[in-house]
Amino acid sequence: GSALSPEVQLLRNFRDRDVLQTFAGSNFMQVFNTVYYSFSPQVAGTISANENLRTTMRYVLYPLIGILWATQQIYSAFAFGPEGAVVIAGLFAGSLIGLVYASPVILGISFAIARVFRRRLNRVHVYMLLPFLAIATSLIIVSELTRFVLLMQVSTSVLMLTTWAL
């Protein structure tokens, strides 16, 4: 409801004091902000103009606030190594965001595809994503060592998308 709410302040502080102070975190946030701000002003305008939608979005966002609060706690537990901490926190956040928000959509699509093609869902499809997870993690390490910005932006984004999907 407000940019000054305690939840927003907590998340803003976590972003500004912790995430943006790391190479991995700042590069991921640069990509995230580019995507997010390409559509969020229009969505926010639509939501603010409709009381029912505002109420619904509050409930939709409560789990996200909890996930990001827990992510900040995970980061704090590993803060002795900020670069590793931000990657571990990102994996945690991505996993929970995927579980809460992406899973229902992915499962619905998967069941629909399985029904159309009369095939069973198979764990092999999930396992196909694991190489992306390994490659993205490896590329994050290479990016850390070389300070290659574009590689960090791509690898952190692939890591988050893969984590959401898994």
Side-chain angles (χ1 to χ4, degrees):
S2 166
L4 300 176
S5 72
E7 298 87 355
V8 174
Q9 293 287 62
L10 172 85
L11 298 176
R12 184 180 294 128
N13 287 337
F14 174 49
R15 180 196 63 203
D16 295 347
R17 285 187 322 210
D18 299 325
V19 175
L20 290 176
Q21 300 307 310
T22 65
F23 183 67
S26 63
N27 281 289
F28 172 75
M29 288 304 301
Q30 188 172 10
V31 173
F32 175 83
N33 287 337
T34 299
V35 172
Y36 179 75
Y37 288 109
S38 70
F39 67 86
S40 68
Q42 295 85 1
V43 172
T46 301
I47 292 168
S48 69
N50 184 317
E51 179 61 37
N52 291 332
L53 199 48
R54 279 197 313 267
T55 301
T56 301
M57 287 310 297
R58 280 190 194 104
Y59 289 107
V60 168
L61 290 174
Y62 282 137
L64 180 61
I65 291 167
I67 289 167
L68 294 175
W69 178 85
T71 299
Q72 190 270 333
Q73 301 301 307
I74 294 291
Y75 177 89
S76 293
F78 293 95
F80 56 87
E83 292 295 332
V86 80
V87 172
I88 291 167
L91 285 168
F92 178 81
S95 297
L96 289 180
I97 290 168
L99 182 66
V100 171
Y101 295 104
S103 289
V105 175
I106 291 171
L107 284 173
I109 291 169
S110 298
F111 282 119
I113 290 170
R115 187 173 184 147
V116 167
F117 292 104
R118 298 178 196 261
R119 295 182 67 191
R120 287 182 132 187
L121 292 176
N122 193 327
R123 280 186 269 192
V124 170
H125 298 112
V126 173
Y127 293 138
M128 290 170 53
L129 292 172
L130 292 177
F132 288 100
L133 195 63
I135 290 167
T137 303
S138 299
L139 291 176
I140 287 171
I141 293 167
V142 170
S143 302
E144 284 288 351
L145 295 172
T146 63
R147 291 297 203 226
F148 187 8
V149 170
L150 181 60
L151 185 59
M152 182 62 83
Q153 291 172 339
V154 170
S155 58
T156 55
S157 299
V158 168
L159 182 69
M160 289 307 296
L161 291 172
T162 304
T163 305
W164 291 342
L166 282 171

